[in-house]
């Protein structure tokens, strides 16, 4: 029997010869992101439109049509108004990790189910099992903190309660497990409060965190994460859209010691300098992989827009790894 991908590819070239550029594009979208399909799609799209403007949005549309998001209903809200603990979900994943697909789509569905006033999502990328351009030094440091050597690896308020992964078809069942785990956390109470604000002026980002009613101890730390809402990159596992991706941890992955019940912490981040440092890190990793494998390795893309950002803040006890409270704010592009 003929190979479906080959048939679609030849059909696209035939459609182009007949002047049916839309038909050619549709055929190539069905086999994208195969490298040959990507090359021809770029060429035909540019030939029709003059440049590549709009292609990424069209790819998003085709991807979401092929892989519709998991159906979900919004969280109804807390039954007890005194339950004020914000849940923190941290997912370690990789764009080349096949069993991470179910975890990735289940994780994304949490963001459409809960408000950020109830749930903060952090997605860390690792070079597991293959190089990942969304990885950064702080995500690796965070993995070392949790001793997360494999992916997917997910934690709820600093504790691993679900250890599973699988293909995309398993995503809905995994999402229900995640949702149940979050709802349990939302029934909890804590005296600690986090007032978080962040403003961006061009590339300058100013963050201010005010803590109150905290129960300080020698192992309590305040940590911050700079989060990109959605990142486009199609790796070996086929996931194109990555959500709540941690790009850096301002002030360092080790965080800041909290030694008093009330504390105000301010710091600034230059997004341009961060972009440059991430580019250097990825270039160094390309050299490392090339040397270790005696090849010339380059990432197919290095997504470094850092446009739609948010800031997360959370209190964590380094002795127990328990997260006591969390907060999140979005920034204007």
């Amino acid at each position: 029997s003929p190979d479906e991908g080959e048939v679609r590819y030849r059909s696209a070239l035939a459609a182009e010869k007949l002047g049916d550029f839309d038909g050619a594009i549709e055929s190539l979208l069905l086999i994208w992101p195969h490298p040959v399909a990507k090359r021809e799609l770029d060429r035909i799209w540019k030939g029709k439109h003059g440049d590549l403007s709009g292609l990424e949005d069209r790819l998003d549309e085709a991807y979401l049509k092929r892989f519709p998001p998991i159906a979900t209903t919004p969280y109804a809200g807390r039954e007890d108004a005194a339950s004020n603990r914000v849940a923190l979900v941290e997912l370690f994943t990789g764009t080349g990790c096949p069993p991470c697909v179910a975890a990735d789509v289940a994780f994304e569905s949490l963001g459409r189910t809960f408000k950020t006033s109830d749930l903060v999502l952090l997605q860390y990328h690792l070079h597991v099992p293959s190089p990942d351009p969304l990885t950064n030094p702080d995500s690796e440091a965070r993995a070392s903190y949790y001793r997360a050597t494999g992916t997917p690896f997910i934690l709820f308020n600093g504790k691993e309660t679900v250890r599973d992964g699988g293909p995309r078809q398993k995503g809905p069942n995994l999402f229900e497990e995640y949702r149940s785990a979050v709802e349990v956390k939302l029934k909890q109470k804590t005296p600690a409060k986090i007032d978080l604000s962040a403003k961006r002026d061009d590339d300058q980002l100013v963050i201010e965190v005010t803590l109150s009613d905290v129960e300080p101890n020698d192992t309590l730390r305040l940590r911050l994460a700079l989060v990109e809402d959605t990142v486009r990159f199609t790796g070996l596992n086929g996931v194109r859209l990555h959500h709540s991706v941690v790009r850096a941890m301002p002030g360092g992955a080790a965080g800041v010691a909290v030694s008093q019940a009330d504390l105000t912490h301010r710091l600034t981040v230059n997004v341009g300098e961060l972009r440059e440092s991430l580019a250097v890190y990825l270039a160094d990793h390309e050299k490392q992989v090339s040397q270790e494998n005696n090849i010339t390795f380059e990432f197919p893309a290095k997504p470094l827009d850092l446009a739609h950002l948010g800031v997360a803040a959370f209190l964590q006890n380094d002795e127990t790894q328990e997260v006591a409270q969390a907060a999140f704010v979005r920034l204007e592009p």
Side-chain angles (χ1 to χ4, degrees):
S1 61
D3 176 76
E4 183 178 281
E6 180 76 9
V7 172
R8 294 192 187 282
Y9 169 66
R10 297 296 175 184
S11 297
L13 297 185
E16 181 192 14
K17 292 286 188 183
L18 294 170
D20 182 10
F21 296 107
D22 289 335
I25 289 169
E26 289 300 319
S27 292
L28 291 170
L29 284 171
L30 292 171
I31 56 176
W32 193 92
H34 189 285
V36 174
K38 182 181 186 308
R39 181 193 69 202
E40 297 301 322
L41 183 57
D42 286 355
R43 180 180 62 80
I44 295 173
W45 186 278
K46 193 172 182 178
K48 179 183 179 182
H49 298 280
D51 57 30
L52 296 178
S53 299
L55 178 55
E56 290 297 328
D57 290 337
R58 184 67 184 86
L59 289 170
D60 289 349
E61 180 184 335
Y63 175 79
L64 292 173
K65 182 179 180 180
R66 191 188 309 178
F67 304 116
I70 296 170
T72 182
T73 55
Y75 175 58
R78 309 182 196 228
E79 296 178 0
D80 184 353
S83 300
N84 66 333
R85 193 173 186 183
V86 177
L88 176 72
V89 174
E90 299 173 275
L91 172 66
F92 292 87
T93 186
T95 58
C97 164
C100 291
V101 177
D104 285 359
V105 298
F107 175 89
E108 181 275 332
S109 300
L110 290 175
R112 292 183 288 109
T113 304
F114 298 92
K115 298 178 180 178
T116 56
S117 56
D118 292 322
L119 173 66
V120 175
L121 296 171
L122 300 179
Q123 185 177 108
Y124 307 97
H125 280 251
L126 302 175
H127 299 300
V128 179
S130 57
D132 187 331
L134 305 187
T135 305
N136 58 68
D138 287 340
S139 64
E140 292 184 309
R142 196 72 178 141
S144 297
Y145 173 83
Y146 282 123
R147 296 183 175 87
T149 57
T151 54
F153 185 79
I154 191 163
L155 302 105
F156 298 78
N157 283 3
K159 299 295 181 180
E160 184 186 15
T161 55
V162 179
R163 176 174 286 196
D164 207 354
R168 190 179 294 270
Q169 296 87 334
K170 195 173 180 179
N173 290 337
L174 202 55
F175 164 66
E176 292 301 329
E177 291 187 57
Y178 290 1
R179 178 173 184 154
S180 296
V182 170
E183 289 181 351
V184 169
K185 300 297 183 186
L186 295 181
K187 294 178 181 179
Q188 299 174 349
K189 305 171 185 177
T190 176
K193 300 178 183 65
I194 301 177
D195 183 14
L196 173 64
S197 66
K199 294 182 180 180
R200 181 173 181 174
D201 183 6
D202 195 16
D203 267 354
Q204 198 71 6
L205 175 60
V206 180
I207 303 169
E208 180 171 304
V209 187
T210 300
L211 306 178
S212 57
D213 300 326
V214 175
E215 299 176 355
N217 60 60
D218 293 339
T219 59
L220 187 64
R221 313 287 293 187
L222 168 65
R223 291 187 166 93
L224 300 172
L226 188 62
V227 181
E228 191 163 9
D229 181 58
T230 304
V231 183
R232 291 165 167 156
F233 176 79
T234 305
L236 297 176
N237 67 5
V239 176
R240 169 174 171 79
L241 302 174
H242 308 272
H243 302 272
S244 303
V245 179
V246 174
R247 292 309 215 152
M249 299 191 73
V256 177
V258 179
S259 57
Q260 55 196 71
D262 301 313
L263 174 71
T264 297
H265 179 63
R266 299 181 184 88
L267 75 166
T268 60
V269 177
N270 187 289
V271 178
E273 292 176 0
L274 172 60
R275 186 181 292 110
E276 291 178 7
S277 69
L278 291 175
V280 170
Y281 166 82
L282 293 176
D284 288 344
H285 192 74
E286 287 174 329
K287 293 176 183 177
Q288 179 183 339
V289 173
S290 298
Q291 293 172 356
E292 291 176 351
N293 297 278
N294 196 28
I295 58 171
T296 300
F297 170 77
E298 292 183 357
F299 289 109
K302 299 175 185 177
L304 294 172
D305 289 344
L306 304 184
H308 300 279
L309 297 173
V311 177
F314 56 99
L315 286 167
Q316 186 167 33
N317 187 318
D318 278 357
E319 183 177 5
T320 64
Q321 296 185 331
E322 182 80 10
V323 174
Q325 187 61 291
F328 182 83
V329 293
R330 282 193 172 88
L331 293 160
E332 293 297 326

